[in-house]
Amino acid sequence: MITQNDNPRFLQLIKALDAGWEIDQPVLIRSTWRTASEASGTYHFVLRRKAQDQTTLLSLPPSPELLAFLANHKISITTF
């Protein structure tokens, strides 16, 4: 269940999917460095609306909601 307390970037993904966008798999994850001691990654979603011939990119930081969403929907992820 999605709530207003969820990560705003994650909510942006959910709203896009509700508006008819589809995830073009695999989702790409790229390592980024926030500080010298903290490594992180960014998830890059290519979203498509085939009927309108539209494509967009949505990049999200990891969050518990996002990781659960990826696992629950069995979305494939590729590191680049």
Side-chain angles (χ1 to χ4, degrees):
M1 176 179 199
I2 307 301
T3 69
Q4 291 298 337
N5 294 330
D6 289 330
N7 181 303
R9 297 286 294 165
F10 176 69
L11 291 175
Q12 188 177 2
L13 172 64
I14 298 305
K15 288 177 183 178
L17 296 175
D18 288 345
W21 292 90
E22 297 178 7
I23 298 171
D24 189 20
Q25 294 190 49
V27 169
L28 305 173
I29 184 170
R30 182 174 181 193
S31 295
T32 56
W33 294 95
R34 292 187 180 169
T35 66
S37 63
E38 178 186 14
S40 182
T42 301
Y43 291 82
H44 301 282
F45 290 80
V46 175
L47 302 177
R48 297 193 193 278
R49 276 187 180 164
K50 294 179 183 176
Q52 291 88 0
D53 195 27
Q54 295 176 312
T55 303
T56 192
L57 176 69
L58 181 61
S59 299
L60 286 85
S63 68
E65 301 90 359
L66 176 60
L67 298 177
F69 174 85
L70 293 169
N72 290 339
H73 291 88
K74 297 179 175 57
I75 295 174
S76 60
I77 301 167
T78 298
T79 304
F80 75 103

